[in-house]
Amino acid sequence: MTRPSSPWRVPPGDRARQHELKRDAVILTAARAFRERGYHNTSLDDIAAALHVTKPTLYYYVSNKEQMLFACFEEGLARLTVACDEARAAGASGRERLVALVHRYALAITSDFGWCMVRAEDQDLSPAMGARIKALKSGIDQEIRALIRAGIADGSIAVRDPKMAAFALAGALNWISHWYRDDASLSAGAIAERFVDLFVNGLAPRTRQAPSGKST
Amino acid sequence: MTRPSSPWRVPPGDRARQHELKRDAVILTAARAFRERGYHNTSLDDIAAALHVTKPTLYYYVSNKEQMLFACFEEGLARLTVACDEARAAGASGRERLVALVHRYALAITSDFGWCMVRAEDQDLSPAMGARIKALKSGIDQEIRALIRAGIADGSIAVRDPKMAAFALAGALNWISHWYRDDASLSAGAIAERFVDLFVNGLAPRTRQAPSGKST
Amino acid sequence: MTRPSSPWRVPPGDRARQHELKRDAVILTAARAFRERGYHNTSLDDIAAALHVTKPTLYYYVSNKEQMLFACFEEGLARLTVACDEARAAGASGRERLVALVHRYALAITSDFGWCMVRAEDQDLSPAMGARIKALKSGIDQEIRALIRAGIADGSIAVRDPKMAAFALAGALNWISHWYRDDASLSAGAIAERFVDLFVNGLAPRTRQAPSGKST
Amino acid sequence: MTRPSSPWRVPPGDRARQHELKRDAVILTAARAFRERGYHNTSLDDIAAALHVTKPTLYYYVSNKEQMLFACFEEGLARLTVACDEARAAGASGRERLVALVHRYALAITSDFGWCMVRAEDQDLSPAMGARIKALKSGIDQEIRALIRAGIADGSIAVRDPKMAAFALAGALNWISHWYRDDASLSAGAIAERFVDLFVNGLAPRTRQAPSGKST
DNA sequence: TATGAATGAGTATTCATTCAT
DNA sequence: GATGAATGAATACTCATTCAT
């Protein structure tokens, strides 16, 4: 999904750029390892080995194992933030914008950093870091709620409880990281499409009117 | 279920019963600790201390830390299985039964074992255990899909991709364990209600009158 | 000098007593190792090996390497404190009591814990520990000054600056730990005797009156 | 001696001189760092940072961390040797010369290199280095003993055991490095004066009139 | 049944040292 | 001369697990 697995064997470029590339490679490798084996089951030795580098070298680019997880989280979150920004400017109605967000969100979640972003637990981090992550996560939540409220305001969305709707939506999307694998039959886009279908139209048949008075 | 914090100080009863009670207390205590601090951040000492018992004592009731997590998982899953069984017999239409399941599912997820059930990672378990858990989880997934298909068959549900719909639904529900805390403002039932509203009716306003009143 | 090098091979006695004995052995072994190789050059593995025990076992008796050093320090200091107490009650005049202290001090310094007591640096300890040690050391210093002042008061001692005199005395005594080895030709008592001779009478010949107006 | 904090920013001068200056700065900076944080708690990074230079640069001027400590030791010892030489030629009687030495010794101990000279442990050095240092230290000890013996010979000093007297004197002086700080209320000279008073006259009041006035 | 004691295996982190540029 | 980058070796500390009592 992302290319440069080991810039240690890719000499070109100037100094600062090299450093940046290598750091990126460290983060990416970590993200993949975490996704595959989990944070606690991944030792720095594992990551170093995957990069064909020795353990102390990692410390040249990252100050901590915790910082490593945090960097992965940030990397993933950045994509999500971009997604939010793009979505906000994407469509006319609140619903259209929300749909756009779902697509981009799915893409971000299925990226290498999806797991870290979603599963980085406060529990695994120092209180300070935990708080920062929590705050950032909450920011995304607020974005979703805002779009839902906007949709309600412009009449394109009808839900009783925007907060719970946001939780449900985010939950469904985040959960993708639990079952999605790169070799999956469905692309992120296809998944998003199916989700949109469900979330927009609901389970109940739309044709004509609601299937009865007692709608269940 | 949430009571017996330490049967070590509650002497009476016969042999086998005593053992069973204590084992239950171990599992429950573990489940709570895992939920609070995560599996890897919980040491057996922590659990033992919570039970006012020493570490080796735990091994009298569980053979492993891994077994402990597995037991928690099983305990939670049992509730979910019951939920499925009840749901299957709960209503007339596929949709009604699915809605019933959502309610019971939410209740199970918010129980003490919810976290373990949802978050017990294959990563934390030996391959063998991991496979067992995966299979059991998949069973629940199949139940949901079956209900959705039933609903489609009887016309009470209209979705394009039952599999993705099941993933979305399960995802939203499982995710509850990430944000739900006992002191939350909403009960499991209330959450389920909101979720049902969203999943049944969708975000888009229903053409005529939205199926007013309690849609459940 | 002290006997029980390894109670791990000395089974008898009751529970609590056993524990205490072993902990003492840990501390003593640590003290000896520190004295021989220095704090930083002594690894826990070294100490464990000396006790024919594995490293984690040490943690059963001491919570920290730092705590280990501190315990050694305390052990040594305890002897010094006893020395002070005994000295305070030892003689009539301030000078007699001071002389008594010098004797006991020398004995304490040449004990296995002498090195730790004298050389435990604030630098090697956490700020908190460092502060505690500093305070305790300062207590001894005050004791010495008090005796000197008492001697001045009762006419048995004549010095201009009690504080500096205390520093000089303590310095000479503490320094013993730098050069003293168990196999040394002089016993602690003999050393103390020589020191007393020097400190009480001074370098200048005493016979008749002071050797001249210009006493240097 | 205390000035040249970083000749890296002071370009002029010829080649060899430059090198020498920089090496001196390295040694001095190291000495200060060792004194402040201890040898083992000072990393080469610390020293490099203090010089606004990178770690490998240090190796241009010193071959080793050990060599660094040794150089500091040598630097300090040189002062002490000078002190001995000057003292040897300073006065008429052995005692006068000894007193002169005490003054110069105190000055050397309170210098930036005092700590290293006194506290450089054999433990921190390779056996070879350790042996060299021990020999050099012993040289100083011999000087002191020689002066004492000279004083005994010319009647200006009266002590039973010259060796122990030398140990006591050196101990008191060396120990200054444990408690002396640059911001201390007493100058090295003042300290030496007090010490001389104590060591020359002793604690016991002199029979007739104590050698009043400035006894030095 | 319960526990004190002990251990093996593992892991993050530090640091002096080297070397190509 | 100076530095960025890399590494080997070491070390404190943790924890699940076992076993004699």
PDB file of all heavy atoms in Angstrom, chain D residues 137-148:
ATOM      1  N   LYS D 137      49.064   8.755  43.136  1.00  0.00           N
ATOM      2  CA  LYS D 137      48.512   9.185  44.415  1.00  0.00           C
ATOM      3  C   LYS D 137      49.485   8.858  45.535  1.00  0.00           C
ATOM      4  O   LYS D 137      49.687   9.653  46.454  1.00  0.00           O
ATOM      5  CB  LYS D 137      47.176   8.476  44.683  1.00  0.00           C
ATOM      6  CG  LYS D 137      45.978   9.079  43.948  1.00  0.00           C
ATOM      7  CD  LYS D 137      44.690   8.355  44.355  1.00  0.00           C
ATOM      8  CE  LYS D 137      43.451   9.016  43.736  1.00  0.00           C
ATOM      9  NZ  LYS D 137      42.204   8.280  44.050  1.00  0.00           N
ATOM     10  N   SER D 138      50.036   7.684  45.444  1.00  0.00           N
ATOM     11  CA  SER D 138      50.951   7.257  46.487  1.00  0.00           C
ATOM     12  C   SER D 138      52.156   8.186  46.572  1.00  0.00           C
ATOM     13  O   SER D 138      52.697   8.436  47.660  1.00  0.00           O
ATOM     14  CB  SER D 138      51.381   5.813  46.215  1.00  0.00           C
ATOM     15  OG  SER D 138      52.622   5.562  46.808  1.00  0.00           O
ATOM     16  N   GLY D 139      52.542   8.725  45.408  1.00  0.00           N
ATOM     17  CA  GLY D 139      53.648   9.686  45.396  1.00  0.00           C
ATOM     18  C   GLY D 139      53.363  10.870  46.301  1.00  0.00           C
ATOM     19  O   GLY D 139      54.209  11.279  47.111  1.00  0.00           O
ATOM     20  N   ILE D 140      52.170  11.395  46.189  1.00  0.00           N
ATOM     21  CA  ILE D 140      51.788  12.529  47.037  1.00  0.00           C
ATOM     22  C   ILE D 140      51.851  12.128  48.507  1.00  0.00           C
ATOM     23  O   ILE D 140      52.374  12.857  49.346  1.00  0.00           O
ATOM     24  CB  ILE D 140      50.354  12.990  46.689  1.00  0.00           C
ATOM     25  CG1 ILE D 140      50.267  13.417  45.230  1.00  0.00           C
ATOM     26  CG2 ILE D 140      49.927  14.132  47.616  1.00  0.00           C
ATOM     27  CD1 ILE D 140      51.021  14.673  44.905  1.00  0.00           C
ATOM     28  N   ASP D 141      51.301  10.953  48.758  1.00  0.00           N
ATOM     29  CA  ASP D 141      51.314  10.474  50.133  1.00  0.00           C
ATOM     30  C   ASP D 141      52.739  10.436  50.671  1.00  0.00           C
ATOM     31  O   ASP D 141      53.013  10.887  51.801  1.00  0.00           O
ATOM     32  CB  ASP D 141      50.693   9.074  50.175  1.00  0.00           C
ATOM     33  CG  ASP D 141      50.684   8.506  51.582  1.00  0.00           C
ATOM     34  OD1 ASP D 141      50.299   9.253  52.504  1.00  0.00           O
ATOM     35  OD2 ASP D 141      51.065   7.337  51.758  1.00  0.00           O
ATOM     36  N   GLN D 142      53.637   9.956  49.859  1.00  0.00           N
ATOM     37  CA  GLN D 142      55.034   9.869  50.295  1.00  0.00           C
ATOM     38  C   GLN D 142      55.611  11.259  50.591  1.00  0.00           C
ATOM     39  O   GLN D 142      56.387  11.441  51.543  1.00  0.00           O
ATOM     40  CB  GLN D 142      55.885   9.161  49.231  1.00  0.00           C
ATOM     41  CG  GLN D 142      55.549   7.674  49.079  1.00  0.00           C
ATOM     42  CD  GLN D 142      55.729   6.886  50.367  1.00  0.00           C
ATOM     43  OE1 GLN D 142      56.481   7.291  51.268  1.00  0.00           O
ATOM     44  NE2 GLN D 142      54.993   5.783  50.501  1.00  0.00           N
ATOM     45  N   GLU D 143      55.231  12.225  49.781  1.00  0.00           N
ATOM     46  CA  GLU D 143      55.697  13.594  50.006  1.00  0.00           C
ATOM     47  C   GLU D 143      55.293  14.079  51.390  1.00  0.00           C
ATOM     48  O   GLU D 143      56.089  14.663  52.134  1.00  0.00           O
ATOM     49  CB  GLU D 143      55.090  14.548  48.960  1.00  0.00           C
ATOM     50  CG  GLU D 143      55.604  14.347  47.556  1.00  0.00           C
ATOM     51  CD  GLU D 143      56.877  15.176  47.290  1.00  0.00           C
ATOM     52  OE1 GLU D 143      57.393  15.814  48.238  1.00  0.00           O
ATOM     53  OE2 GLU D 143      57.344  15.175  46.140  1.00  0.00           O
ATOM     54  N   ILE D 144      54.012  13.830  51.683  1.00  0.00           N
ATOM     55  CA  ILE D 144      53.517  14.291  52.979  1.00  0.00           C
ATOM     56  C   ILE D 144      54.275  13.603  54.122  1.00  0.00           C
ATOM     57  O   ILE D 144      54.754  14.246  55.056  1.00  0.00           O
ATOM     58  CB  ILE D 144      52.002  14.011  53.110  1.00  0.00           C
ATOM     59  CG1 ILE D 144      51.246  14.719  51.978  1.00  0.00           C
ATOM     60  CG2 ILE D 144      51.491  14.470  54.473  1.00  0.00           C
ATOM     61  CD1 ILE D 144      49.759  14.508  52.009  1.00  0.00           C
ATOM     62  N   ARG D 145      54.398  12.294  53.975  1.00  0.00           N
ATOM     63  CA  ARG D 145      55.119  11.572  55.023  1.00  0.00           C
ATOM     64  C   ARG D 145      56.545  12.103  55.174  1.00  0.00           C
ATOM     65  O   ARG D 145      57.059  12.253  56.289  1.00  0.00           O
ATOM     66  CB  ARG D 145      55.202  10.075  54.679  1.00  0.00           C
ATOM     67  CG  ARG D 145      53.891   9.371  54.831  1.00  0.00           C
ATOM     68  CD  ARG D 145      54.084   7.871  54.803  1.00  0.00           C
ATOM     69  NE  ARG D 145      52.952   7.232  54.168  1.00  0.00           N
ATOM     70  CZ  ARG D 145      52.869   5.932  53.929  1.00  0.00           C
ATOM     71  NH1 ARG D 145      53.883   5.137  54.246  1.00  0.00           N
ATOM     72  NH2 ARG D 145      51.798   5.420  53.360  1.00  0.00           N
ATOM     73  N   ALA D 146      57.155  12.386  54.039  1.00  0.00           N
ATOM     74  CA  ALA D 146      58.531  12.863  54.086  1.00  0.00           C
ATOM     75  C   ALA D 146      58.618  14.168  54.883  1.00  0.00           C
ATOM     76  O   ALA D 146      59.506  14.349  55.737  1.00  0.00           O
ATOM     77  CB  ALA D 146      59.055  13.076  52.663  1.00  0.00           C
ATOM     78  N   LEU D 147      57.669  15.064  54.609  1.00  0.00           N
ATOM     79  CA  LEU D 147      57.667  16.337  55.336  1.00  0.00           C
ATOM     80  C   LEU D 147      57.473  16.101  56.824  1.00  0.00           C
ATOM     81  O   LEU D 147      58.101  16.742  57.667  1.00  0.00           O
ATOM     82  CB  LEU D 147      56.576  17.256  54.798  1.00  0.00           C
ATOM     83  CG  LEU D 147      56.855  17.889  53.431  1.00  0.00           C
ATOM     84  CD1 LEU D 147      55.755  18.877  53.069  1.00  0.00           C
ATOM     85  CD2 LEU D 147      58.209  18.604  53.445  1.00  0.00           C
ATOM     86  N   ILE D 148      56.571  15.186  57.135  1.00  0.00           N
ATOM     87  CA  ILE D 148      56.332  14.898  58.551  1.00  0.00           C
ATOM     88  C   ILE D 148      57.609  14.357  59.197  1.00  0.00           C
ATOM     89  O   ILE D 148      58.020  14.796  60.275  1.00  0.00           O
ATOM     90  CB  ILE D 148      55.184  13.894  58.719  1.00  0.00           C
ATOM     91  CG1 ILE D 148      53.848  14.533  58.259  1.00  0.00           C
ATOM     92  CG2 ILE D 148      55.077  13.422  60.177  1.00  0.00           C
ATOM     93  CD1 ILE D 148      52.653  13.625  58.347  1.00  0.00           C
TER      94      ILE D 148
END
